[in-house]
Amino acid sequence: MNDDVVPDRGVWYRVESGSAASTVRRAAERLGAQLDLGDARTADLAIVAAELTSNLVKHADDGVLLLRPVRRDGEAGVELVALDTGPGMADLTASSQDGHSTVGTLGIGLGAIVRQASWFDGYSRPERGTVLAVQVWPKPGGHERPWVGALSRPLAGESVSGDGYAWRIVEGRRQVLVCDGLGHGPLASAATDAALDAFRKAPAGAPSTVVAHLHRSMSHTRGAALAVAEPDPSAGVLRYSGLGNISAAVIGADGKRRGLVSLPGIAGHQRPSVRQYDYPFEADALLVMHSDGVVDRWQFADYPGLADRSPLVVAATVLRDAGTRRDDACVLAVRAWS
């Protein structure tokens, strides 16, 4: 892969030294220029990248950062997600204020990130590490809170992931997809790319109709496990249809998980039985979907306050703690808010 090209699913960087931090900053600057952020916002993006990576070098254990383009309503921006398992922070809000420092520096890092960002969110717990998510758009501020967030990570040693995700709004329906191409590497990635393309082009319809369409569209690939969900908070319902080993759960206000049903099958190959199931999905509910590269033993009770964070921070936290390096991994989260 050309190092100057950042795919939509992004590039992961392990940040353990100043040289790695410089690499991320330069990659962010190149991406900002490619997306025509403008000189001023590209400079702001460079500050965000430098501060995020500096924090990982100074404070983090196992610090990694995802850099990727994001698009909405014909506009392009840059998103960075930093994950670590370091000492964490008891009060992320206080730590985001200028002058707060734990290592004798000026304490302007997180404050600078918040000031330059168009959108910022994070989650941190003492002794559990920190997740920070930042978006930089051509114009600062003014972006609505996202209803969905997702990220995928390749198997250790691979440059591409066979897991992927997508979302769309078609004829008023909000729909999301999680896909796990069989195996890993380029052929698995190609199967998932075919599913994502077919999903974006699929006619409006219920999740079961969309899954059947994806199955028909993927016969030229090695196949995939996949699931489509349609959250409808106004009706208090989540419509869901899945094939293969995609895990999904609705988390209610009490933090309890209700698992969703995916049927056996391989989209694109085995002739599957496609069914749709409806579940309660109230205004305070959260949907989390993930591939089998994420160990399905996480519990929201272990993360006080996480359910109040953005879907992207929820997904990133689950991926950090439950994702395995022995397989591609993908997590997607949806909030019931409109």
Side-chain angles (χ1 to χ4, degrees), residues 1-324:
M1 181 184 297
N2 187 335
D3 290 339
D4 291 334
V5 177
V6 176
D8 283 0
R9 276 182 259 176
V11 174
W12 287 93
Y13 298 89
R14 183 164 294 279
V15 183
E16 298 175 330
S17 66
S19 61
S22 297
T23 298
V24 173
R25 178 182 55 78
R26 290 193 297 268
E29 289 175 325
R30 288 195 298 268
L31 183 56
Q34 291 165 6
L35 298 177
D36 294 325
L37 287 187
D39 291 344
R41 290 302 280 159
T42 298
D44 293 340
L45 173 63
I47 293 172
V48 169
E51 295 296 345
L52 281 174
T53 53
S54 176
N55 285 340
L56 291 176
V57 171
K58 292 175 183 175
H59 306 290
D61 298 325
D62 299 320
V64 295
L65 184 141
L66 173 66
L67 172 70
R68 63 184 176 183
V70 286
R71 297 175 176 85
R72 182 170 57 201
D73 300 328
E75 187 179 45
V78 176
E79 186 169 78
L80 305 97
V81 184
L83 315 177
D84 71 70
T85 56
M89 293 170 271
D91 189 335
L92 182 58
T93 300
S95 297
S96 302
Q97 304 300 313
D98 287 346
H100 186 279
S101 175
T102 60
V103 292
T105 65
L106 293 177
I108 60 175
L110 280 179
I113 293 169
V114 173
R115 284 194 303 275
Q116 311 306 326
S118 302
W119 175 83
F120 168 85
D121 193 25
Y123 179 76
S124 187
R125 298 291 296 173
E127 309 304 324
R128 297 294 299 271
T130 300
V131 171
L132 299 176
V134 185
Q135 292 179 353
V136 177
W137 296 85
K139 296 179 181 178
H143 286 268
E144 63 185 16
R145 59 183 181 176
W147 62 276
V148 58
L151 61 175
S152 63
R153 184 183 67 196
L155 166 76
E158 291 284 356
S159 60
V160 294
S161 174
D163 291 0
Y165 52 84
W167 53 83
R168 67 177 190 164
I169 301 177
V170 54
E171 295 187 4
R173 295 174 179 265
R174 286 184 172 182
Q175 294 182 332
V176 299
L177 165 71
V178 169
C179 182
D180 180 355
L182 294 188
H184 54 83
L187 291 179
S189 181
T192 288
D193 285 344
L196 302 187
D197 183 63
F199 174 74
R200 296 185 183 104
K201 296 176 180 177
S208 56
T209 301
V210 176
V211 168
H213 171 81
L214 299 183
H215 170 65
R216 293 191 297 271
S217 302
M218 296 176 62
S219 60
H220 63 290
T221 75
R222 62 167 51 180
L226 56 81
V228 173
E230 182 179 292
D232 187 353
S234 62
V237 65
L238 174 78
R239 305 174 185 98
Y240 181 86
S241 181
L243 289 175
N245 199 12
I246 300 295
S247 296
V250 171
I251 295 92
D254 57 3
K256 293 183 178 179
R257 295 172 53 184
R258 177 172 184 174
L260 311 188
V261 175
S262 286
L263 297 179
I266 301 173
H269 281 273
Q270 297 176 358
R271 181 175 181 144
S273 174
V274 178
R275 291 188 59 185
Q276 179 174 305
Y277 298 89
D278 294 351
Y279 301 90
F281 197 66
E282 303 301 333
D284 53 3
L286 174 71
L287 167 68
V288 178
M289 301 169 61
H290 59 78
S291 67
D292 64 357
V294 176
V295 179
D296 195 24
R297 292 197 296 266
W298 52 271
Q299 296 293 335
F300 255 76
D302 297 332
Y303 300 94
L306 180 59
D308 298 326
R309 307 320 309 160
S310 66
L312 178 57
V313 168
V314 171
T317 303
V318 173
L319 180 67
R320 180 196 64 185
D321 291 352
T324 172

